[in-house]
Amino acid sequence: AMRRWNGWGDDATSMELNPGARAMLRERLGPGNPGQDADRRQLLRQIPRTRMARHRLIRTDADTRFSMAFGESYGDWIRKRFGHVPPVPDGVAFPKNRDEVRTLLDLAHQNHWVVIPIAGGTSVAGHLDCPVSERSVLSLNLGRLSGLLGIDPEAQLATFGAGTPGPALEAALREHGYTLGHFPQSFEYSTVGGWVVTRSSGQQSLRYGRIEQLFAGGHLETPVGPLRIPTFPASSAGPDLRELVLGSEGRFGVLTEATVRVTPLPEHESFHAIFLPDWDAAEEAVRTLVQRKLPLSMMRLSNGIETETNLTLAGHATLIGAMEKYLGIRGCGEGKCMLMLGVSGDTRGARFALKEAREHLAKFGAVYIGTAMGSKWAANRFKGPYLRNTLWEQGYSADTIETAVDWPQVKPLMRAMEQTARDVFATWGEQVHAFTHLSHVYPQGSSVYSQYVWPTAPGGFEPNFERWHRLKAAVARTIADHGGTASHQHGIGRDHAMHLDVEKGPLGMATLASLCRHFDPNRIMNPGKLLQDGGPWAA
């Protein structure tokens, strides 16, 4: 199998839409508008000549440069699909060790080249956008900085090359009886370095922690020199320098190594499907359960529209129909919400946590279905993005927007995000299918992860880009109005940079800009990400 150049994942994997799902799309959105995909060979002919001189570490062929110019945002998607070629790097380097990274950064610093770090290329926030610049642009691919570099069983620390993808990282740890437990939906391709510099969150972070809890130290090569982050179990020695790396998105330098806190493989791991009567009962049940701090690994709560959508996508209409009839008898009819509960740990502790959770949830009218749906979810947990390929072929577009907010604003924000999308598309006389889940819950609040499906517009790149851009901007304003963060798990990149100042404030933004100038006086590192080009806080 090979990785798709203009879609998600490898070309041997797909997710089919069953007849019921196709009918739902037509009923709610009308017919789709399949377009004619661009031909990659024709796009390569549009790549301009490189502005870089030959160098032993740098490749300048059009094919390699083109493949580094995109992430996985909807904007990237339609550029590839419609053949709208953006600026591409002038050269691509594949350093195989820290010394080569240092050599390349020194070269770029001396020549004022722009440097864009890339590894898995899974960004959905515009982290990899190549700027329109008079300067040459170097894409620094970290894929060869991969593998387990060392493990300390006593301290439960493991060091990896920053370009190590999720499956390779977990395979290496499992040979030693450990897991990192970090499973974002992009797990197949995303890398440990990418997780760190975008402050990633995995599906089971309730047990294992987000990447900021897992990142213990590492090595950052900046344009002005190396920054080593030593590991400590805890420290009161001033501000934590790890925070300069976490969420830095390539603005301060290139992370070459990451030391992470690992956990012994759990004796028991299972996923359980539970239904609750309506959103109010479900939200209160989940909030009070997470505040009890039971040793659970995941709580993923779908609202009524997403629950209906997921059950339709599941197929097996007869079985699903029988289950829904049973749920209706038990008080979970129209508007019911599905909770996917993860339990990981030693067998005795896992049984206790599940028993306590079920007893707690029963007070809110929960109906326990068992592990069959949970096992199915676990088997397909990284296949969700493949559905975007299938939707596109049917003439529909899809995107996600996520945030996090304190509990009092979770329901108002969830509703407002969905309604904002409906209002945006109503200006074109179009419908949008909007639905939401809480993917990560905390005692203080929750993430709010909304998904949107709409008919692809006729006319190619421009009208589709305009609709997507207006959707993103309008929902971002709604998020800010409700006190939500600009991003819970996808990072800022270029797509969200215009909204960051609302969250950070003038002094916070000035601080970030000052750090950029300190580590990167020639302004070569990933410009336009975190801080907008030409904006008041441009570094």
Side-chain angles (χ1 to χ4, degrees):
M2 294 183 64
R3 188 169 175 180
R4 289 179 174 90
W5 75 270
N6 65 348
W8 177 263
D10 70 66
D11 56 12
T13 302
S14 63
M15 285 194 70
E16 299 301 321
L17 282 176
N18 62 63
R22 291 197 296 270
M24 172 187 278
L25 286 172
R26 289 192 300 270
E27 176 187 344
R28 303 201 176 182
L29 301 176
N33 296 304
Q36 181 66 45
D37 284 345
D39 183 278
R40 193 175 193 273
R41 292 167 297 180
Q42 293 180 359
L43 298 185
L44 291 178
R45 297 189 192 107
Q46 301 178 38
I47 306 301
R49 292 174 61 86
T50 182
R51 295 170 292 183
M52 280 185 175
R54 286 192 174 189
H55 188 278
R56 63 182 180 85
L57 296 177
I58 301 173
R59 294 173 58 175
T60 58
D61 61 284
D63 197 321
T64 303
R65 292 161 56 205
F66 179 75
S67 65
M68 297 296 114
F70 303 93
E72 295 288 348
S73 75
Y74 182 76
D76 292 319
W77 178 280
I78 58 176
R79 286 185 180 94
K80 289 183 281 190
R81 289 288 188 168
F82 289 123
H84 186 88
V85 179
V88 302
D90 292 279
V92 182
F94 297 85
K96 60 180 181 294
N97 54 48
R98 186 195 302 172
D99 290 341
E100 289 190 353
V101 172
R102 182 72 262 159
T103 296
L104 289 160
L105 278 186
D106 287 343
L107 189 65
H109 188 63
Q110 293 161 11
N111 290 283
H112 291 248
W113 294 344
V114 169
V115 176
I116 302 177
I118 180 174
T122 60
S123 166
V124 293
H127 291 101
L128 307 176
D129 286 7
C130 191
V132 178
S133 175
E134 295 179 356
R135 298 185 289 170
S136 296
V137 178
L138 175 66
S139 178
L140 204 61
N141 188 298
L142 307 177
R144 292 181 180 175
L145 299 180
S146 183
L148 178 64
L149 304 179
I151 189 166
D152 184 338
E154 289 187 81
Q156 294 190 347
L157 295 173
T159 300
F160 287 90
T164 309
L169 180 144
E170 280 295 324
L173 288 177
R174 286 169 184 266
E175 288 186 5
H176 296 272
Y178 292 96
T179 180
L180 183 62
H182 192 77
F183 302 109
Q185 196 168 55
S186 61
F187 176 77
E188 289 180 302
Y189 299 104
S190 57
T191 64
V192 62
W195 301 340
V196 171
V197 301
T198 60
R199 299 186 78 98
S200 171
S201 189
Q203 294 167 340
Q204 291 171 262
S205 63
L206 190 60
R207 168 176 169 82
Y208 297 105
R210 284 167 54 95
I211 200 65
E212 55 260 45
Q213 285 87 48
L214 299 173
F215 178 57
H219 187 95
L220 186 76
E221 288 290 344
T222 82
V224 294
L227 178 67
R228 186 180 70 88
I229 311 291
T231 62
F232 301 107
S235 172
S236 66
D240 190 345
L241 293 181
R242 291 179 309 147
E243 292 293 339
L244 295 179
V245 181
L246 287 157
S248 59
E249 301 192 3
R251 287 306 304 255
F252 305 154
V254 179
L255 184 67
T256 60
E257 297 170 12
T259 299
V260 291
R261 300 178 175 117
V262 298
T263 302
L265 285 167
E267 291 179 354
H268 172 93
E269 183 165 87
S270 57
F271 299 94
H272 307 256
I274 298 165
F275 288 85
L276 291 114
D278 54 47
W279 179 261
D280 288 338
E283 183 184 316
E284 185 179 2
V286 168
R287 174 180 58 80
T288 51
L289 180 56
V290 73
Q291 288 170 346
R292 290 185 61 181
K293 300 185 178 181
L294 291 175
L296 304 169
S297 64
M298 185 185 77
M299 282 190 271
R300 181 187 179 99
L301 177 64
S302 297
N303 70 3
I305 303 174
E306 179 167 293
T307 298
E308 179 188 8
T309 301
N310 286 342
L311 292 178
T312 302
L313 287 171
H316 308 291
T318 301
L319 289 174
I320 294 295
M323 184 189 73
E324 292 206 82
K325 184 177 181 180
Y326 167 73
L327 288 171
I329 295 171
R330 294 287 304 274
C332 292
E334 186 177 355
K336 62 185 173 293
C337 300
M338 184 170 72
L339 171 65
M340 196 63 70
L341 193 74
V343 183
S344 305
D346 65 273
T347 302
R348 182 176 179 182
R351 287 175 177 169
F352 168 79
L354 179 61
K355 176 177 177 293
E356 291 289 305
R358 289 183 60 182
E359 289 178 356
H360 174 87
L361 293 168
K363 300 173 186 176
F364 298 88
V367 179
Y368 177 73
I369 295 298
T371 59
M373 292 182 70
S375 298
K376 185 73 171 177
W377 175 86
N380 295 306
R381 64 194 298 187
F382 307 126
K383 291 185 178 179
Y386 286 91
L387 189 58
R388 193 189 232 184
N389 303 331
T390 307
L391 288 169
W392 181 267
E393 292 162 5
Q394 298 290 322
Y396 300 98
S397 291
D399 199 18
T400 63
I401 302 177
E402 48 80 26
T403 181
V405 72
D406 293 345
W407 279 115
Q409 284 295 319
V410 166
K411 179 181 175 181
L413 177 54
M414 175 187 72
R415 288 185 167 179
M417 289 171 68
E418 293 182 356
Q419 187 59 47
T420 297
R422 297 185 191 105
D423 293 343
V424 168
F425 279 91
T427 63
W428 295 291
E430 295 282 5
Q431 301 291 319
V432 60
H433 185 49
F435 48 95
T436 303
H437 64 263
L438 311 184
S439 59
H440 302 78
V441 295
Y442 309 90
Q444 177 182 340
S446 176
S447 68
V448 179
Y449 194 105
S450 291
Q451 302 179 71
Y452 308 93
V453 183
W454 65 92
T456 303
F461 173 79
E462 284 77 12
N464 282 282
F465 184 86
E466 180 191 0
R467 293 184 181 194
W468 170 71
H469 184 72
R470 285 178 59 179
L471 169 69
K472 293 275 285 187
V475 175
R477 287 193 296 270
T478 296
I479 289 171
D481 290 345
H482 286 77
T485 178
S487 176
H488 168 265
Q489 65 202 69
H490 289 160
I492 296 300
R494 189 183 294 274
D495 292 351
H496 303 152
M498 68 182 74
H499 309 290
L500 189 60
D501 62 336
V502 176
E503 180 172 330
K504 302 301 183 187
L507 186 57
M509 295 298 290
T511 301
L512 290 176
S514 179
L515 286 168
C516 288
R517 288 190 292 269
H518 174 71
F519 289 111
D520 182 21
N522 286 349
R523 304 181 182 186
I524 66 172
M525 295 304 306
N526 214 12
K529 323 305 163 37
L530 284 181
L531 307 174
Q532 288 182 278
D533 288 330
W537 315 111

